């Protein structure tokens, strides 16, 4: 119902409600005044519970008041039909009210109801309930007859996109049971209910996945187990593949796991006589095309068929295949039609190829087709369309909206603000593709011409998050409604919350929270998205402990069921392995499988968790591809476990699949994929033979890595597929790389960060051979070279024509202090800049190279401009000396550090590392959890020792986890204990080493409990 409230719909009038809930035309035998009054009173109680910070749940409201007559399918169906006469606004609340009632009625009361019309009505009404239903509440009918089963599956297909992976697996399990019961008179249920006890168990060889079952399952086919594919009769699967329904099914479905996709593909290929016949009929492959081993001599038409199905593939082999297919298709003249056929693979063309398209056609293509253009392509296309002009009309912006990352600063300064602001679609597309400095430049222009309050209302969140605090302060924000559906930066959220006085940042203890909070807490936690909460926020430890107490209900954890544990939601990721060990074996298995989806596992839990996984499921070297797909993400939290993974034939595809689902890939995973990608088939087969003869297959040792890689020479195909992982080539291998290979892949090498000095020396020498002396390199060459330029001397760097617009692309390269000084001098000379004249967007564009300004130049920076740039340059890491100078500027801007707020501390980012010991000690404890976790390790140990016990206790687990060993050693015993308490997330508790049973309650306060919930409801991203 909260959706109705948020939309602004008024609550229906009482007269209208009485008409619906007590209609005179309803059969009197089924409806009486008491029944209607209960419906009406329940509805009004539910509506009354909806408020901006308290949404209704899908749990059946006041179910204890519902009589058997009220659950009657016909009665409820009649009520739903009467709602059709209501306006959209009035019906919204009523539909939200009857949705869970309808689902409960369908799953428990309507099995024997013969009225097909009533059943259809309830199915339509129940759909909204399933779109937001927690897994623990997702129950299905124990037995559904054939006609109703088809209708139920048709409805379930419509809510497929809103379901979690676990919920889709539940649907598959239920559907398989119903299909085998209805069509084969056997059951797959391990413990059938009383009505099925006489039914035989299905034989493993049962071919249950026939044509009708395939059609019923639809997109849920992507959640089958690989062995289920073998349950499909060959002729039925072949017929299904050739139908239009197969392609539409895969288009609806999420990406299949590699093992399932390969099993489907293998079975489908058996429908054809050889690869040539199959190639002619591969239009329907869909996502299965990602694993198709295509011939090299496909015709342009066959290339087009295959290419159109490769957009969502994430294997480097596919990148190479796409390039080959594009070359095959480009044997024709370049036309708009050809480009449309290429789809997203247009990004594989060079700017020079795109320029062959007539100007009018090129403009139309750019304006209408979103393509993942590279940064170089964006700059080249913008340059081609704008030439040297700096004025940017709305039509220009429409043409260039999908290449906005290439727009120059001078063009952004001349946008027509009112026209741009009114075209929300173009503005949204442009802001998604802009760099931080570009967004800052556009905001500068918009803020001059438009009232800030209007900007807060109309700007997309991507642009709003770049708005500085001093500008945001000018907006007349007086209520949560004005800002709750926007995505804000951490500093902005802190400012807004404190300004609106909605939350206290100092949590009080709630040791005596009553047990009555448990149902609400568990309901909230099961569906809460905790990605908006700091990874180790103070509230997480508190919530986890309290939720476990609620689940255990006075007993130990061995009595929990899988359904109980699912109610923890993302809090499951916070459990200590010692707590998991107390669960029943089947509950432990399902819990570990669920934890494979965790986006964060506490670092101190990881080693014990890997050990528990190995003890439970066996040595990973013996795992099948399916087990690796299900549990592999847990191993990837540990570098040693990742490196030790065996080099089995399927491992590369599985790891690339898992990597695509991770928010961050570890260096160990990237290195493993590099080895698997560059390892020759002969070497891999030899290793497998050796490992099999020894009875075990383990991961690579450093010696075997060395011997394998000594024979490698980088090829264009490898380099294109590896992208950032090209950093792992040895300098001897880079030396062997032919000049033409380097020239054809220089942009890829230029995008790779953190080369060692030896590798940079090789690459920079190759650059000079390819492009001539440093003094003769132009801006285009320097941009292509990217991080390779770090291999030049300081004197050579000063000669290079660096573009200010592209500095953010090389900020990650690992520059030292003298190099940054040289780059700044080169940038200032080439772009005619002085420190005194720098605008906010130019400071942001300088990125890391603002550290190259000398002390005098930092003192010349404009104070107001500096404040406007701060929020967008908080990740800049300067030396302590430079950070001190920037800190002095911050003191001039915001006053003494003792007065700094949470928002200001967050905005200042790594500049906090420039504070001396006394200044750090003067910070208010409440701001300490807002110090950037990337900033903490930058503080010198001698200065870090000045933090007080109260400050360290308020660090929070995230920041406490980033404290270095050297910093800890500089602390007193009392300070170290305070840091331990911060790590545990509680002021009177240390990090647990071995928790057993349900934990004792010593948790953060009600405000800590409410903070994540409030922001999850309102949409704040309190990072």
């Amino acid at each position: 119902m909260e959706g109705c409230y948020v939309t602004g719909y008024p609550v229906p009038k009482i007269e209208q409600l009485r008409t619906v809930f007590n209609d005179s035309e309803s059969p009197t035998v089924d409806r009486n005044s008491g029944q209607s009054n209960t419906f009406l009173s329940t509805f009004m109680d539910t509506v009354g519970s909806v408020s901006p910070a308290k949404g209704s749940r899908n749990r059946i409201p006041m179910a204890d008041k519902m009589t058997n007559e009220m659950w009657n399918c016909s009665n409820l169906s009649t009520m739903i039909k009467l709602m059709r006469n209501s306006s959209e606004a009035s019906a919204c609340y009523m539909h939200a009210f009857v949705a869970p009632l309808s689902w409960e009625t369908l799953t428990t009361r309507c099995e024997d109801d013969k009225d097909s019309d009533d059943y259809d009505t309830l199915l339509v009404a129940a759909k909204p309930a399933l779109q937001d239903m927690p897994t623990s509440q997702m129950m299905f009918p124990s037995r559904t007859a054939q006609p109703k089963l088809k209708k139920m599956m048709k409805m379930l297909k419509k809510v497929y996109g809103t379901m979690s992976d676990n919920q889709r697996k539940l649907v598959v399990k239920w559907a398989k049971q119903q299909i085998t019961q209805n069509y084969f008179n056997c059951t797959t249920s391990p413990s059938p209910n009383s009505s099925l006890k006489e039914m035989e168990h299905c034989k493993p060889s049962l071919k249950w996945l026939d044509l009708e079952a395939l059609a019923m399952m639809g997109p849920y086919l992507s959640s089958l187990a690989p062995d289920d594919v073998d349950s499909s009769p060959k002729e039925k699967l072949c017929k299904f593949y050739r139908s239009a329904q197969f392609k539409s099914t895969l288009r609806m479905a999420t990406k299949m796991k590699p093992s399932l996709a390969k099993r489907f593909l293998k079975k489908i290929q058996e429908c054809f006589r050889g690869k040539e016949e199959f190639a002619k009929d591969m239009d329907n492959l869909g996502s299965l095309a990602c694993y198709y081993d295509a011939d090299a001599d496909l015709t342009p038409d066959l290339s087009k068929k295959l290419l159109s199905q490769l957009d969502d593939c994430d294997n480097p082999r596919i990148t190479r295949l796409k390039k080959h297919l594009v070359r095959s298709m480009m044997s024709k003249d370049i036309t708009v039609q050809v480009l449309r056929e290429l789809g997203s693979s247009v990004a594989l063309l060079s700017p020079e190829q795109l320029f062959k398209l007539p100007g009018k056609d090129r403009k139309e293509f750019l304006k209408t087709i979103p393509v993942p253009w590279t940064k170089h392509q964006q700059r080249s296309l913008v340059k081609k369309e704008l030439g040297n002009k700096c004025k940017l009309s709305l039509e220009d912006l429409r043409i260039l909206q999908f290449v906005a990352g290439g727009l120059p600063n001078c063009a952004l300064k001349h946008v027509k603000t009112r026209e741009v602001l009114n075209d929300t679609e173009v503005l949204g597309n442009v802001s998604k593709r802009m760099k931080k400095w570009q967004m800052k430049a556009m905001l500068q222009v918009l803020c001059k011409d438009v009232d800030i309050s209007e900007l807060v209302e109309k700007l997309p969140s991507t642009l709003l998050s770049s708005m500085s605090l001093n500008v945001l302060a000018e907006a007349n924000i007086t209520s949560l409604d004005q800002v709750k559906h926007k995505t804000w930066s951490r500093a902005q959220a802190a400012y807004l919350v404190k300004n609106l006085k909605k939350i206290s940042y100092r949590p009080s203890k709630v040791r005596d929270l009553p047990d009555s909070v448990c149902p609400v807490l568990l309901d909230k936690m099961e569906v809460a998205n905790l990605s908006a909460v700091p990874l180790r926020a103070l509230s997480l430890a508190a919530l986890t402990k309290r939720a476990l107490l609620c689940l255990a209900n006075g007993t130990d954890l061995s009595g929990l069921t899988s359904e109980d544990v699912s109610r923890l939601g993302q809090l499951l990721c916070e459990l200590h392995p010692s707590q998991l060990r107390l669960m029943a074996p089947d509950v432990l298995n399902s819990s570990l499988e669920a934890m494979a989806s965790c986006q964060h596992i506490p670092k101190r839990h990881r080693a014990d968790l890997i050990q528990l996984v190995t003890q439970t499921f066996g040595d990973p070297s013996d795992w099948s591809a399916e087990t690796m797909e299900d549990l592999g993400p847990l191993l990837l939290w540990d570098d040693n476990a990742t490196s030790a993974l065996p080099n089995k034939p399927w491992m590369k595809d599985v790891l690339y699949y898992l990597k695509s689902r991770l928010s961050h890939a570890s260096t160990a995973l990237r290195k493993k994929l590099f080895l698997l990608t560059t390892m020759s088939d002969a070497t891999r087969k030899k290793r497998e033979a050796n490992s099999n003869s020894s009875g075990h297959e383990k991961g690579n040792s450093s010696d075997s890595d060395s011997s394998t890689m000594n024979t490698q020479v980088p090829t264009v195909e490898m380099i294109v597929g590896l992208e950032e992982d090209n950093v792992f080539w040895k300098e001897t291998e880079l030396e062997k790389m032919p000049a033409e290979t380097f020239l054809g892949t220089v942009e890829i090498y230029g995008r790779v960060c953190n080369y060692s000095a030896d590798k940079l020396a090789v690459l920079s020498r190759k650059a000079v051979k390819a492009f001539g002396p440093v003094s003769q390199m132009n801006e285009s060459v320097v941009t292509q070279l990217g991080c390779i330029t770090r291999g030049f001397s300081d004197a050579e760097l000063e000669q290079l024509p660096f573009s200010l617009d592209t500095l953010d692309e090389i900020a990650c390269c690992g520059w030292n202090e003298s190099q940054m000084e040289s780059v700044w001098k080169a940038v200032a000379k080439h772009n005619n800049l002085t420190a005194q004249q720098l605008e906010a967007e130019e400071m942001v564009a300088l990125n890391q190279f603002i550290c190259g300004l000398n002390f005098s130049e930092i003192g010349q920076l404009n104070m107001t401009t500096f404040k406007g740039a701060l929020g967008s340059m908080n990740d800049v890491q300067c030396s302590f000396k430079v950070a001190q100078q920037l800190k002095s500027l911050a003191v001039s801007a915001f006053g003494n550090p003792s007065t700094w707020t949470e928002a200001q501390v967050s905005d200042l980012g790594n500049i906090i590392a420039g504070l001396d010991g006394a200044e750090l000690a003067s910070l208010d404890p409440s701001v300490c959890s807002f110090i950037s976790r990337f900033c903490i390790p930058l503080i010198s140990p001698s200065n870090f020792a000045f933090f007080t016990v109260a400050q360290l206790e308020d660090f929070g687990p995230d920041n406490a986890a980033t404290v270095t060993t050297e910093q800890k050693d500089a602390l007193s015993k009392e300070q170290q204990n305070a840091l331990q308490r911060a790590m545990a997330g509680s002021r009177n508790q240390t990090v647990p080493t071995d928790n057993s049973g349900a934990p004792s309650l010593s948790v953060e306060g009600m405000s800590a409990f409410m903070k994540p919930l409030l922001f999850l409801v309102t949409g704040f991203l309190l990072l």
Side-chain angles (χ1 to χ4, degrees), residues 370-382:
V371 172
W373 302 107
T374 67
K375 293 172 182 176
H376 174 59
Q377 288 171 323
Q378 292 187 56
R379 286 191 296 270
S380 300
L381 288 166
V382 168

Side-chain angles (χ1 to χ4, degrees), residues 179-238:
I179 290 169
T180 55
Q181 290 168 17
N182 277 292
Y183 294 85
F184 301 95
N185 200 31
C186 65
T187 179
T188 58
S189 176
S191 53
N193 60 29
S194 56
S195 64
L196 301 175
K197 279 187 177 179
E198 302 302 320
M199 191 174 284
E200 293 184 1
H201 278 278
C202 300
K203 296 179 180 179
S205 59
L206 178 69
K207 300 292 185 180
W208 66 271
L209 194 59
D210 58 17
L211 190 61
E212 195 168 0
L214 287 165
M216 265 196 286
M217 297 293 283
Y220 292 97
L221 290 173
S222 65
S223 296
L224 290 174
D227 288 345
D228 285 327
V229 181
D230 295 331
S231 299
S232 184
K234 178 180 177 180
E235 67 279 6
K236 303 297 183 183
L237 180 59
C238 295

Side-chain angles (χ1 to χ4, degrees), residues 114-180:
K114 306 299 183 190
D115 194 322
S116 175
D117 184 53
D118 287 342
Y119 192 84
D120 294 346
T121 301
L122 291 177
L123 273 178
V124 173
K127 178 185 168 186
L130 284 171
Q131 291 173 324
D132 189 34
M133 183 174 286
T135 304
S136 65
Q137 295 178 31
M138 190 165 281
M139 306 299 178
F140 296 94
S142 59
R143 186 95 188 250
T144 302
Q146 288 185 29
K148 291 182 179 178
L149 175 59
K150 291 181 180 179
K151 291 179 180 180
M152 177 70 81
M153 288 304 297
K154 184 177 180 180
M155 188 273 285
L156 288 172
K157 290 177 192 176
K158 294 178 181 178
V159 297
Y160 173 87
T162 64
M163 286 190 172
S164 67
D165 288 342
N166 286 336
Q167 289 174 326
R168 290 168 185 155
K169 288 178 183 177
L170 286 178
V171 172
V172 168
K173 181 180 179 182
W174 174 80
K176 182 178 178 180
Q177 289 172 355
Q178 298 305 308
I179 290 169
T180 55

Side-chain angles (χ1 to χ4, degrees), residues 416-425 427 454 458:
K416 295 183 178 179
T417 54
R418 184 55 63 181
E419 290 182 353
V420 170
L421 196 60
N422 289 336
D423 197 328
T424 55
E425 182 180 357
L427 187 58
E454 185 179 352
K458 294 184 176 180

Side-chain angles (χ1 to χ4, degrees), residues 144 272 362 391 407 484 588 702 755 761 778 859:
T144 302
F272 301 87
R362 187 174 61 248
K391 289 191 176 181
L407 290 169
K484 66 181 179 180
L588 172 62
S702 57
Y755 286 119
N778 59 32

Side-chain angles (χ1 to χ4, degrees), residues 192-358:
N193 60 29
S194 56
S195 64
L196 301 175
K197 279 187 177 179
E198 302 302 320
M199 191 174 284
E200 293 184 1
H201 278 278
C202 300
K203 296 179 180 179
S205 59
L206 178 69
K207 300 292 185 180
W208 66 271
L209 194 59
D210 58 17
L211 190 61
E212 195 168 0
L214 287 165
M216 265 196 286
M217 297 293 283
Y220 292 97
L221 290 173
S222 65
S223 296
L224 290 174
D227 288 345
D228 285 327
V229 181
D230 295 331
S231 299
S232 184
K234 178 180 177 180
E235 67 279 6
K236 303 297 183 183
L237 180 59
C238 295
K239 185 174 182 180
F240 185 61
Y241 171 74
R242 290 187 173 98
S243 70
Q245 193 172 4
F246 182 85
K247 189 171 185 178
S248 63
T249 291
L250 290 192
R251 193 180 298 118
M252 289 173 60
T254 55
K255 189 182 300 182
M256 287 187 188
K257 294 177 179 177
S259 58
L260 177 61
K262 289 178 181 180
R263 188 76 65 92
F264 258 122
L265 183 59
K266 181 176 181 294
K267 293 278 288 185
I268 289 168
Q269 286 178 306
E270 292 172 1
C271 300
F272 301 87
R273 294 189 298 270
K275 293 185 70 173
E276 185 176 344
E277 182 181 286
F278 176 61
K280 295 177 182 178
D281 201 6
M282 60 184 175
D283 302 60
N284 289 351
L285 274 177
S287 59
L288 302 186
C290 299
Y291 302 98
Y292 175 57
D293 188 14
D295 288 332
D297 55 351
L298 291 177
T299 65
D301 285 341
L302 290 178
S303 296
K304 180 177 70 175
K305 285 183 180 181
L306 182 56
L307 186 65
S308 65
Q309 302 175 86
L310 298 177
D311 280 353
D312 296 327
C313 303
D314 48 36
N315 192 312
R317 181 183 65 83
I318 297 300
T319 305
R320 300 195 292 272
L321 175 60
K322 283 182 177 181
K323 278 184 169 288
H324 171 74
L325 297 175
V326 168
R327 283 196 297 270
S328 172
M329 292 177 64
M330 293 311 293
S331 58
K332 308 175 183 178
D333 292 333
I334 294 184
T335 64
V336 171
Q337 182 58 34
V338 170
L339 294 186
R340 290 182 187 277
E341 290 171 353
L342 289 177
S344 65
S345 296
V346 169
L348 297 174
L349 299 179
S350 68
E352 290 71 28
Q353 288 175 296
L354 294 168
F355 294 162
K356 293 178 182 178
L357 192 68

Side-chain angles (χ1 to χ4, degrees), residues 7 85 122 203 205 303 317 328 402 471 493 506 508 510 537 546 608 628 693 717 723 750 790 939 995:
T7 306
N85 298 324
L122 291 177
K203 296 179 180 179
S205 59
S303 296
R317 181 183 65 83
S328 172
F402 299 121
V471 173
R506 297 185 63 83
S508 59
V510 285
R546 190 63 182 99
D608 289 342
M628 187 64 195
S693 65
E717 289 75 16
E723 287 288 342
R790 192 167 67 87
I939 301 173
N995 296 332

